[in-house]
Amino acid sequence: MKRNIIITGGAGFIGSHVVRLFVNKYPDYRIINVDKLTYAGNLANLVDIEDKPNYTFVKADICDYDKMLELMRQYDVDGVIHLAAESHVDRSIKDPFTFARTNVMGTLSLLQAAKVYWDSKPEKYEGKRFYHISTDEVYGALELTHPEGLEPPFTTKASSGQHHEAYGEEFFLETTKYNPHSPYSASKASSDHFVRAYHDTYGLPTIVTNCSNNYGPYQFPEKLIPLFINNIRHRKPLPVYGKGENVRDWLFVEDHARAIDQIFHEGKVAETYNIGGFNEWKNIDIIRVVINTVDRLLGRKEGEDLDLITFVTDRAGHDMRYAIDSRKLQAELGWEPSLQFEEGIERTVRWYLDNQEWMDRITSGEYEKYYEDMYKNR
Ligand code: NAD
Ligand code: DAU
């Protein structure tokens, strides 16, 4: 094999898209998917590639340092793409310890395993990569502002020449000071610092990227878009936090996976790249789009489920606005999102409606036992 790459968290939402892309695009790479299969890990996300000869699944906890070192040796690993994490803000508010354990200690254990193994090789860090996937939430929250005389969302022009709508004049840059607010974002910020510290202290060839909100197939239905699609299908209430005024910047998951591929191969060691598609939406507006799309695709009257919207108590510490400036990535590596949002959301809603069995297994509670048994029988 030309390369041996560990992808952590490959049974999760984004990880499964990254694993699929690498396994299919690089038949001469061995892809080792290391995943603990927490509630969010689902091997059904990978059925289409699980029998490929260049794919291996290992059920393991990234916090298990001895196991991580053993895997580095066993597969002579020369690249790590690290996505495994606890990823849901609401869960982090209820159970911060699990987030610190996996996101901070797990990342540290992987870093140390990579360092110790690569230190033992004659060529040391030559040709090696430790790529850490992080989030825009580490930068904190932006305010909703607009230039005098312009109503939000107002149109701005990025240096790429592309026009986009924005809800504020500020954006997250790679140089924006970290200011995390939730236990989730605090744990991701801490992990980012450890990754950079391993470069600065030991010279480990690291890269960090910070991406905005992803949407698309295989997302666990605790997150806004899949949760709401499923609730609309069953005509259940849609719990909108606060007034639904918060703004998120949405990127189709396959575009994130393409960026990860390009950055892993062409990105500069020790650099940080922001990934996003200049696609800001107020929650309440995106929710209306999702309702209309589900209604249309189910043959209902468009908008007939708008009355499912139910305003509920706001999320504690709810960040008002995220907006990524990804011009560095566009200028240096030429990456651009491939999909317009209208097309991406249509594909996403259609996928969930066409894959109701996938959704029903998760939401019925059979899911953990089913996959535990499936794993035992492999
Ligand atoms: P996810 O929750 O869908 O998947 C996480 C995966 O990690 C699961 O398969 C889970 O089983 C695995 N995992 C969790 N703890 C583990 C452990 N201790 N050992 C091994 N595996 C473990 O998450 P996601 O939304 O796909 O996010 C993936 C990564 O991308 C995370 O690091 C997240 O912070 C980052 N990110 C996510 C988004 C987004 O919008 N979802 C945006 C930017 C960055
Ligand atoms: O910005 C990147 C981050 O995006 C990732 O790092 C996280 O892993 C990912 O979960 C996501 O975080 P958010 O908190 O933005 O995503 P979530 O889908 O939980 O919520 C999106 C917005 O919708 C947020 O403003 C909260 C709101 N919301 C969410 C849920 C689940 C609701 O109003 N009601 C809900 O039921």
Side-chain angles (χ1 to χ4, degrees), residues 240-294:
V240 180
Y241 299 163
K243 294 181 182 151
E245 295 283 299
N246 304 65
V247 171
R248 295 290 180 268
D249 185 357
W250 294 93
L251 182 69
F252 191 63
V253 63
E254 288 177 15
D255 279 330
H256 188 188
R258 278 195 311 105
I260 290 172
D261 173 20
Q262 197 171 351
I263 293 163
F264 178 75
H265 289 97
E266 298 166 30
K268 275 203 227 125
V269 164
E271 286 290 335
T272 297
Y273 300 92
N274 280 352
I275 309 174
F278 290 107
N279 182 41
E280 292 179 53
W281 285 79
K282 267 193 183 180
N283 289 343
I284 194 67
D285 293 334
I286 211 168
I287 288 163
R288 289 199 185 103
V289 171
V290 170
I291 293 171
N292 286 335
T293 312
V294 175

Side-chain angles (χ1 to χ4, degrees), residues 8-15 34-42 60-63 82-88 101-103 132-136 184 188 210-215 218-220 222-223 250 256:
T8 70
F13 166 47
I14 303 172
V34 176
D35 196 301
K36 184 182 172 183
L37 297 184
T38 66
Y39 78 94
N42 187 350
D61 186 338
I62 55 165
C63 299
H82 174 37
L83 295 109
E86 290 292 336
S87 67
H88 191 41
R101 180 183 178 276
T102 291
N103 299 358
H132 176 62
I133 310 300
S134 192
T135 170
D136 58 0
Y184 163 67
K188 290 296 291 187
N210 299 84
C211 187
S212 62
N213 284 63
N214 284 214
Y215 71 98
Y218 301 113
Q219 188 167 29
F220 195 83
E222 62 189 352
K223 308 282 166 59
W250 294 93
H256 188 188

Side-chain angles (χ1 to χ4, degrees), residues 3-24:
R3 297 203 71 158
N4 295 309
I5 299 169
I6 281 184
I7 299 182
T8 70
F13 166 47
I14 303 172
S16 64
H17 289 274
V18 177
V19 166
R20 177 176 296 100
L21 176 67
F22 272 70
V23 165
N24 287 331

Side-chain angles (χ1 to χ4, degrees), residues 10 15 32 35 41-42 50 83 101 122 153-154 168 178 207 248 251 260 298 326 331 345 361:
I32 305 116
D35 196 301
N42 187 350
E50 66 181 4
L83 295 109
R101 180 183 178 276
F154 59 92
Y178 275 30
I207 296 183
R248 295 290 180 268
L251 182 69
I260 290 172
L298 285 178
S326 57
I345 201 74
R361 270 197 200 286

Side-chain angles (χ1 to χ4, degrees), residues 93-106:
I93 295 167
K94 293 204 184 89
D95 176 20
F97 284 98
T98 305
F99 282 70
R101 180 183 178 276
T102 291
N103 299 358
V104 186
M105 294 307 289

